[in-house]
């Protein structure tokens, strides 16, 4: 298989809900006015806690400075696994479980923190730019590794890295076992033809910025929620991915959004009783490895405060 280091330098940010009004103009521009911005990698996820925005440096410049904006200090690089051959059959595990053993687990063993973003089209593994020599050295026996530069894939090896390879120097520590929460919502992982995005713009703006749904003010996650507010929109290199629950889906035109041929629904497992630490390693591995061993399909979306795994409804009882 091939591993591509994509030609994006990303920032991971959080917008608090009470401060969203300061960012609506910038976010609407990034979502709907592709010809007015140079941003090529944009992802916005709403949770009960905040809005997580992951975007490239061009998009980051669109966000105004504000006390309501938190920015994780590192620059992140997105990795993408490309299989040699046809796509795997629908009977096989999909999403993050496909790369659990080959990518996520080896990086956790080398104390490399990852930030996951699964979409309808693919999975992005975000790593800190400073960890790239460790990442390449760790994965080059398993993958042909390429770094995209100007749209062209350039082969890279650990010996080519200017900084050379060095271990992170951290002693093995006992991993924290985080509590999980499984809300009752059923979710859809969907996509949309970018040319039809204007047709759902009004609904999308209402759902993200003006919804007065009661689930926005629900109890803290430690109290066990019946439902959880979660909506994710990504526009990456021209491809759109949307994750929403079935109640929200009813607000959108049925003939524009599309999903897999099976039309399967997903349940969420939210990881973390308290906000997770960006420096903590192995969180994704602890969830993805058992799923991979059980051949359970899953998508995984990290946010600024918590992690979220989406699994088929029929598989939920196997992991909680």
């Amino acid at each position: 298989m091939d591993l591509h280091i994509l030609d994006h330098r990303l920032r991971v940010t959080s917008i608090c809900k009470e401060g969203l009004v300061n960012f609506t103009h910038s976010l609407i521009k990034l979502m709907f006015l592709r010809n007015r911005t140079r941003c090529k990698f944009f992802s916005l996820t709403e949770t009960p806690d905040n809005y997580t925005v992951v975007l490239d440096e061009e998009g980051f410049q669109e966000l105004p400075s504000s006390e309501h904006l938190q920015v994780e200090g590192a620059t992140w690089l997105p990795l993408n696994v490309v299989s040699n051959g046809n796509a795997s059959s629908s009977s096989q595990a999909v999403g993050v479980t496909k790369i659990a053993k080959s990518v996520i687990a080896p990086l956790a063993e080398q104390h490399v923190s990852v930030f996951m973003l699964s979409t309808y089209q693919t999975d992005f593994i975000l790593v800190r730019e400073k960890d790239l020599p460790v990442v390449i050295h760790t994965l080059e026996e398993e993958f042909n590794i390429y770094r995209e530069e100007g749209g062209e894939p350039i082969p890279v090896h650990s010996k080519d890295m200017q900084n050379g390879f060095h271990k992170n120097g951290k002693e093995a520590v006992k991993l924290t076992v985080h509590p999980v929460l499984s809300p009752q919502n059923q979710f859809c992982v969907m996509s949309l033809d970018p040319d039809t995005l204007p047709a759902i713009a009004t609904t999308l703006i209402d759902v993200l910025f003006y919804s007065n749904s009661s689930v926005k003010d629900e109890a803290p996650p430690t109290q066990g929620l019946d439902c959880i507010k979660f909506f994710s929109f990504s526009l990456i290199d021209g491809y759109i991915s949307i994750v929403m629950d079935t109640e929200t889906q009813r607000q959108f035109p049925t003939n524009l959004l599309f999903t897999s041929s099976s039309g399967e629904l997903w349940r969420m497992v939210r990881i973390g009783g308290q906000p997770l630490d960006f420096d903590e390693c192995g969180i994704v591995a602890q969830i993805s490895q058992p799923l991979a061993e059980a051949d359970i399909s899953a998508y995984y979306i990290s946010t600024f405060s918590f992690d979220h795994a989406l699994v088929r409804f029929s598989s939920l009882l196997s992991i909680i």
Side-chain angles (χ1 to χ4, degrees):
M1 291 189 294
D2 297 339
L3 181 73
H4 287 238
I5 306 164
L6 303 184
D7 193 12
H8 301 292
R9 301 178 77 244
L10 306 179
R11 306 302 301 270
V12 179
T13 72
S14 171
I15 299 172
C16 64
K17 294 208 163 182
E18 57 269 26
L20 181 64
V21 64
N22 300 287
F23 299 91
T24 50
H25 178 270
S26 299
L27 294 176
I28 288 173
K29 178 180 179 181
L30 290 165
M31 293 174 68
F32 301 110
L33 304 177
R34 288 180 290 160
N35 296 330
R36 300 280 299 277
T37 176
R38 296 175 60 190
C39 181
K40 302 300 181 185
F41 193 113
F42 172 80
S43 176
L44 171 66
T45 302
E46 181 186 3
T47 68
D49 316 280
N50 48 39
Y51 292 86
T52 295
V53 184
V54 181
L55 68 180
D56 57 28
E57 292 180 320
E58 291 77 12
F60 182 68
Q61 293 174 7
E62 302 280 357
L63 300 182
S65 299
S66 170
E67 61 182 348
H68 301 292
L69 178 69
Q70 284 185 272
V71 183
E72 203 284 321
T75 296
W76 297 75
L77 303 177
L79 313 179
N80 184 225
V81 174
V82 178
S83 298
N84 297 329
N86 297 326
S88 58
S89 71
S90 59
S91 63
Q92 294 177 309
V94 300
V96 70
T97 47
K98 292 190 299 184
I99 54 175
K101 296 179 180 178
S102 58
V103 178
I104 296 171
L107 293 181
E109 291 173 0
Q110 292 297 327
H111 309 288
V112 174
S113 178
V114 302
F115 189 96
M116 282 298 308
L117 179 60
S118 293
T119 68
Y120 182 87
Q121 293 82 15
T122 189
D123 298 281
F124 298 100
I125 312 105
L126 276 58
V127 299
R128 288 186 171 104
E129 189 173 42
K130 67 179 181 64
D131 288 331
L132 189 59
V134 182
V135 170
I136 293 175
H137 185 276
T138 302
L139 301 179
E140 63 182 351
E141 289 188 7
E142 180 77 19
F143 294 94
N144 300 311
I145 302 179
Y146 300 89
R147 184 158 195 169
E148 295 188 1
E149 298 180 6
E152 295 295 326
I154 309 299
V156 295
H157 307 277
S158 58
K159 61 181 177 61
D160 300 327
M161 302 298 294
Q162 292 183 354
N163 295 332
F165 168 71
H166 57 87
K167 289 182 178 292
N168 279 353
K170 300 177 182 177
E171 296 295 330
V173 296
K174 184 177 180 180
L175 297 177
T176 302
V177 178
H178 293 283
V180 298
L181 167 72
S182 180
Q184 296 300 308
N185 317 49
Q186 296 184 18
F187 290 87
C188 313
V189 181
M190 314 188 79
S191 188
L192 174 75
D193 184 339
D195 291 338
T196 62
L197 183 58
I200 68 165
T202 301
T203 304
L204 194 54
I205 291 171
D206 183 59
V207 166
L208 278 171
F209 304 131
Y210 300 106
S211 173
N212 294 315
S213 174
S214 60
V215 296
K216 280 195 172 184
D217 301 315
E218 69 265 293
T222 54
Q223 296 183 14
L225 304 178
D226 290 333
C227 292
I228 190 171
K229 178 66 178 180
F230 188 91
F231 188 96
S232 184
F233 173 91
S234 298
L235 176 55
I236 300 173
D237 291 329
Y239 293 97
I240 294 176
S241 178
I242 304 175
V243 178
M244 69 179 87
D245 63 21
T246 51
E247 182 177 350
T248 304
Q249 182 192 11
R250 297 188 188 102
Q251 302 180 45
F252 289 86
T254 57
N255 61 327
L256 295 182
L257 296 172
F258 52 88
T259 185
S260 63
S261 57
S262 61
E264 57 200 348
L265 297 178
W266 303 78
R267 287 284 298 274
M268 175 184 291
V269 177
R270 173 167 165 155
I271 300 99
Q274 296 181 345
L276 303 172
D277 190 338
F278 276 94
D279 290 326
E280 185 175 351
C281 304
I283 299 173
V284 181
Q286 288 183 67
I287 298 297
S288 62
Q289 280 190 282
L291 295 177
E293 291 169 0
D295 199 34
I296 295 175
S297 299
Y299 292 96
Y300 200 103
I301 298 177
S302 300
T303 62
F304 205 88
S305 300
F306 299 96
D307 282 7
H308 308 80
L310 294 169
V311 299
R312 288 191 177 103
F313 181 80
S314 59
S315 304
L316 185 65
L317 294 179
S318 302
I319 60 172
I320 62 173

